[in-house]
Amino acid sequence: MGQGMSKSNNVYKDAYNRCLRLLDETRSLPSEPELGTLLGVSRTTVRSILARMEETRLITWNKRAKTVLRDPVPDDFFPEEETDTLADIIERSFMRRLLASGAEAGMQINELELAREIGVGTTSVREFLIRFSRFGLIEKRRNSHWVLKGFTRAFALELTEIREMFELRSAAAFAALPQDSPVWADLNGLEDEHRLLAREIATRFNEFSELDERFHRLIHRASRNRFIVDFYDVIAMIFHYHYQWNKAQERERNEVAVGEHLAYIEALKSRDLGKVDAACRKHLKSARQTLLTSIPENRLPQKS
Amino acid sequence: MGQGMSKSNNVYKDAYNRCLRLLDETRSLPSEPELGTLLGVSRTTVRSILARMEETRLITWNKRAKTVLRDPVPDDFFPEEETDTLADIIERSFMRRLLASGAEAGMQINELELAREIGVGTTSVREFLIRFSRFGLIEKRRNSHWVLKGFTRAFALELTEIREMFELRSAAAFAALPQDSPVWADLNGLEDEHRLLAREIATRFNEFSELDERFHRLIHRASRNRFIVDFYDVIAMIFHYHYQWNKAQERERNEVAVGEHLAYIEALKSRDLGKVDAACRKHLKSARQTLLTSIPENRLPQKS
DNA sequence: AAACTGTTTTTTCACGATAAAAGACATTAA
DNA sequence: TTAATGTCTTTTATCGTGAAAAAACAGTTT
């Protein structure tokens, strides 16, 4: 499937699907540039979308007039898997292998083999590995292969050490932000979402990780330091796959975390640096514990 | 020049040049695998080197017997510029443009144009930009171009903030290392080199930046945290180009820094955490000052 | 005139192909 | 029987190419 293909049109397909959802809401579509901004794509792509919608008799299209003819049905949508970017496909395949047992530290990674297995070109795999290397899980040998460093206890400890350093500093910066800063409104919004989730935790516990990420990113942004903000990508990636892998006690864990977040938010709103520090430390400690207990360590930690 | 060329043989040429220097020291060369380890290349490359050395009558080569016939002359060496990796060539070109006036923040970076200008393929430029993005100076717009964030005062401040956080922690970890750790010998070696350089600073001041990097890397390594160790790459890159660009008061600056390093080393050796912290802070403060004064800020700092 | 649509050009993304370099296997010498 | 050399295979590094997508330009409509 798909060999020899130069470039998939997933941007178009994804935007098309999103545009279909817009159709429910209006009787006619806005101008091409406006649609482009709305969907986050260029006008070229917008025009391809409109052309297809006309073909499938979803709309009539004549210059400025784009009249909706009917509501979209499930069959109008492109299949989900065709809307993924190649980078996402490669990342998922790679992480599946990495988290599967048998991915020992020190194991070497073969670009060609990975590319063949996933069914993509080597260039895309190379670029993925280069991007991925900043997560500290793989390392390149000059003129040679990549080496897997492994999702080990040592990795988790190094990661959380930096995370704690950065978040404590960000939280302090957050508390020191002037009262008229828009972050306080954002924080209030997040607080409401937390309270709502806390009330319905029994059924909605799996929605926590998305809220968790938004909350921590808001705090990190207060540091106004690109290295701190960017580092949250590493944390988010690890936690994303970690939670996908380890579902044990998910409900309990998340319930505890929501409570900690609410205390943390309370501390931030008090703008008392001592309280902020304490609440932040407490939450980070339990987050680290959660991560650590999920990593089985059957080998001695390797030196250097 | 060089169009259509798949891959340059710079690994071979560089190893060849380094192998020539070995010739001065011995009358016969070791085995192929041994030479490979010595030069950091595969046996395939070693054999190409030996083949050429035989051709140019530098050695006779018959199975295990590799007898040196004559000392190499300057003409035997490949030109320096042919030994550079493509990544280095691209980095240099890119940094030259970036540091040249006219590289405004917000300016967009064009892969194709860069590739054409440097005379390399787009793939190599793309891979370079991905690797380079971790330095925080450029940012990718999804499905579109890269944006230059600029070598601004804000960048320098964000960079030094992290650097100070990491180095203070590393220095403390260093001082806490057991007396029998090999780092103390390394530190003594560096101390000697500093004293030597201090004595001859008038003529050797330009050798400081290399020593500086080795010293700080030793300290960062004590953190035993890959993210801290890796972050020194960012600092090293910035300081490398910064010093190349800004030669004003180089001698004075370096003289002061050598003195600060010696005090810092003294503090580490005392293993008194208070002294270490003070010496580290003092040096980092002046390092930051040096970096900041060299960045002309003619615009207001832009809001996020 | 401002904002839109129609058309053309440029750039990004991803592939297969090929030389350089690494690595594996087979053979031979110490 | 260990460690080298000789030979063959695989992988990495880099390019040119072509389709997807963005961006620029030109002409229209309100």
Side-chain angles (χ1 to χ4, degrees), chain B residues 39-191:
Chain B
L39 298 169
V41 294
S42 74
R43 238 185 86 223
T44 307
T45 305
V46 168
R47 296 185 115 244
S48 311
I49 292 170
L50 292 173
R52 173 163 229 260
M53 288 192 164
E54 192 182 22
E55 238 178 74
T56 56
R57 311 223 185 284
L58 274 155
I59 59 165
T60 56
W61 179 27
N62 188 294
K63 307 202 172 170
R64 285 157 203 243
K66 305 168 197 87
T67 321
V68 178
L69 291 180
R70 63 176 178 86
D71 279 351
V73 294
D75 244 30
D76 288 316
F77 289 81
F78 284 106
E80 279 288 333
E81 65 271 21
E82 290 179 24
T83 64
D84 293 334
T85 66
L86 194 57
D88 287 339
I89 293 168
I90 296 174
E91 183 181 292
R92 265 202 303 279
S93 293
F94 183 78
M95 288 306 286
R96 197 178 317 122
R97 279 170 139 236
L98 196 138
L99 292 168
S101 55
E104 307 270 328
M107 174 186 269
Q108 72 186 59
I109 297 162
N110 188 318
E111 289 176 6
L112 203 59
E113 188 190 317
L114 252 179
R116 273 194 298 248
E117 182 160 318
I118 306 175
V120 298
T122 50
T123 311
S124 309
V125 169
R126 279 174 68 77
E127 288 181 3
F128 165 77
L129 291 172
I130 295 169
R131 271 191 310 264
F132 191 82
S133 65
R134 81 194 190 87
F135 296 129
L137 286 169
I138 60 173
E139 201 174 55
K140 179 116 179 81
R141 292 286 140 85
R142 209 165 111 67
N143 288 324
S144 185
H145 53 262
W146 292 84
V147 176
L148 182 63
K149 293 168 96 180
F151 206 157
T152 62
R153 187 169 213 82
F155 175 80
L157 287 169
E158 290 167 42
L159 180 79
T160 50
E161 181 182 7
I162 307 299
R163 190 224 176 141
E164 286 160 25
M165 222 186 295
F166 283 179
E167 185 149 346
L168 283 165
R169 179 170 284 236
S170 301
F174 196 109
L177 249 27
Q179 206 61 259
D180 63 349
S181 164
V183 297
W184 297 108
D186 295 339
L187 189 67
N188 282 325
L190 283 169
E191 183 179 8

Side-chain angles (χ1 to χ4, degrees), chain B residues 160-225:
Chain B
T160 50
E161 181 182 7
I162 307 299
R163 190 224 176 141
E164 286 160 25
M165 222 186 295
F166 283 179
E167 185 149 346
L168 283 165
R169 179 170 284 236
S170 301
F174 196 109
L177 249 27
Q179 206 61 259
D180 63 349
S181 164
V183 297
W184 297 108
D186 295 339
L187 189 67
N188 282 325
L190 283 169
E191 183 179 8
D192 293 344
E193 289 192 67
H194 274 87
R195 292 205 191 286
L196 224 70
L197 187 59
R199 219 172 306 139
E200 304 165 17
I201 194 74
T203 54
R204 291 176 52 208
F205 64 90
N206 58 321
E207 288 174 43
F208 173 71
S209 81
E210 184 267 340
L211 185 59
D212 182 64
E213 179 168 345
R214 276 194 289 134
F215 174 62
H216 288 291
R217 281 203 192 268
L218 179 68
I219 290 169
H220 281 75
R221 240 177 286 132
S223 71
R224 299 194 122 260
N225 185 307

Side-chain angles (χ1 to χ4, degrees), chain B residues 18 22 30-43 46:
Chain B
R18 280 181 294 128
L22 252 59
S31 76
E32 293 172 17
E34 209 169 322
L35 260 176
T37 327
L38 217 62
L39 298 169
V41 294
S42 74
R43 238 185 86 223
V46 168

Side-chain angles (χ1 to χ4, degrees), chain A residues 158-175:
Chain A
E158 291 167 41
L159 179 79
T160 49
E161 182 183 7
I162 306 298
R163 190 221 176 144
E164 285 160 24
M165 224 186 296
F166 283 179
E167 185 148 345
L168 283 166
R169 179 171 285 235
S170 300
F174 196 108

